[in-house]
Amino acid sequence: HTHTHTQTPTHTSNTKGQRRKEEEEECEMSVASRIDRLESLLAQYNDDDSAELHRVKKACFDALLVGVRFVRVNDPNYYQRSLPERRALVGAISTAHLCKSILVHNDLCVYTSLEDWKQHGSDPKNSPFYSVLIQYTTRLSSGKLTRFLRRLNPEVSSKAFRLSVANEEEAFRLGGFAHNAISPLGMREPIPFVISAEMRALDCPFVWFGGGEVDVKLGVELEALIEALGERAFVADITCGEQHQDGEDLNSL
């Protein structure tokens, strides 16, 4: 018995020492990886960047987003091109990886303005505005989005929801970005996001959005983006069928 007792502490201290060593190595790797990320993000900065693009890059930097990519598309007719042509210009995996932000206004929100909402605590569930992220290959369903927001706010009257697309002036005030340049990162106002669950079904969900300037596209890992948006991000089934070439009610952006 005595023999067993004298052996145990040695074994325990060896195990503890080994564990501490592993933790230290993990910590060093984590620090090294963070430095690598910071360096790769710093390398993306450019003195010629507009204030909007700088804001997007700073948001990526602040969130320590891994492997973001910025691609400048030197094609003034980019938005007249087909999705396969746009995919090739950006370098996306498929057309389903091309995404957009639609800024939606709840006309009947209990908070009558963005200022009113912010003064009452900026509840991300119940906001007068939402940034909705969907793929270009899908269509936003206003019915599904409305039903999701009602479920998200069971204590709010179901009549307090009527959605419309924010006009360009509102969109600029919320995001600080021009039409076709809206990025989910670097938004001027802290509005919540509703992200299409369909994006999560993608093989390798490295998705592309506006990058702050009309001809700049931002590529980002979907899960890293969701994590960066934190409690302001909600993932839900909000699309229906495939996108048609002509615009629909909530698809005009």
Side-chain angles (χ1 to χ4, degrees), residues 162-173:
R162 187 181 66 209
L163 305 181
S164 63
V165 173
N167 61 43
E168 273 193 45
E169 193 182 308
E170 285 174 325
F172 185 76
R173 189 164 61 90

Side-chain angles (χ1 to χ4, degrees), residues 203-219:
D203 289 332
C204 186
F206 189 87
V207 289
W208 293 86
F209 294 94
E213 292 180 15
V214 175
D215 59 350
V216 173
K217 306 300 160 205
L218 164 71

Side-chain angles (χ1 to χ4, degrees), residues 104-155:
V104 170
H105 182 211
N106 177 12
D107 306 323
L108 301 178
C109 181
V110 291
Y111 304 111
T112 52
S113 68
L114 197 68
E115 288 64 37
D116 183 28
W117 175 67
K118 289 199 285 193
Q119 280 168 9
H120 286 86
S122 308
D123 177 7
K125 292 178 182 177
N126 189 14
S127 167
F129 292 96
Y130 298 87
S131 181
V132 178
L133 309 183
I134 66 167
Q135 297 147 283
Y136 270 99
T137 51
T138 61
R139 291 178 56 211
L140 174 60
S141 161
S142 55
K144 280 187 177 182
L145 179 58
T146 303
R147 287 192 291 277
F148 169 70
L149 293 175
R150 282 178 179 150
R151 286 198 304 276
L152 200 58
N153 295 280
E155 71 291 346

Side-chain angles (χ1 to χ4, degrees), residues 52 55 76 78-80 86 100-103 136 165-173 175-183 209-217 250-253:
E52 292 79 12
R55 206 168 67 236
Y78 177 83
Y79 282 102
Q80 280 71 59
R86 292 190 213 174
K100 59 180 172 178
S101 306
I102 302 174
L103 295 175
Y136 270 99
V165 173
N167 61 43
E168 273 193 45
E169 193 182 308
E170 285 174 325
F172 185 76
R173 189 164 61 90
F177 301 117
H179 182 54
N180 285 334
I182 297 173
S183 164
F209 294 94
E213 292 180 15
V214 175
D215 59 350
V216 173
K217 306 300 160 205
L250 287 178
N251 289 275
S252 58
L253 290 185

Side-chain angles (χ1 to χ4, degrees), residues 181-195:
I182 297 173
S183 164
L185 292 157
M187 294 276 286
R188 195 182 271 166
E189 297 290 355
I191 64 169
F193 291 78
V194 183
I195 300 162

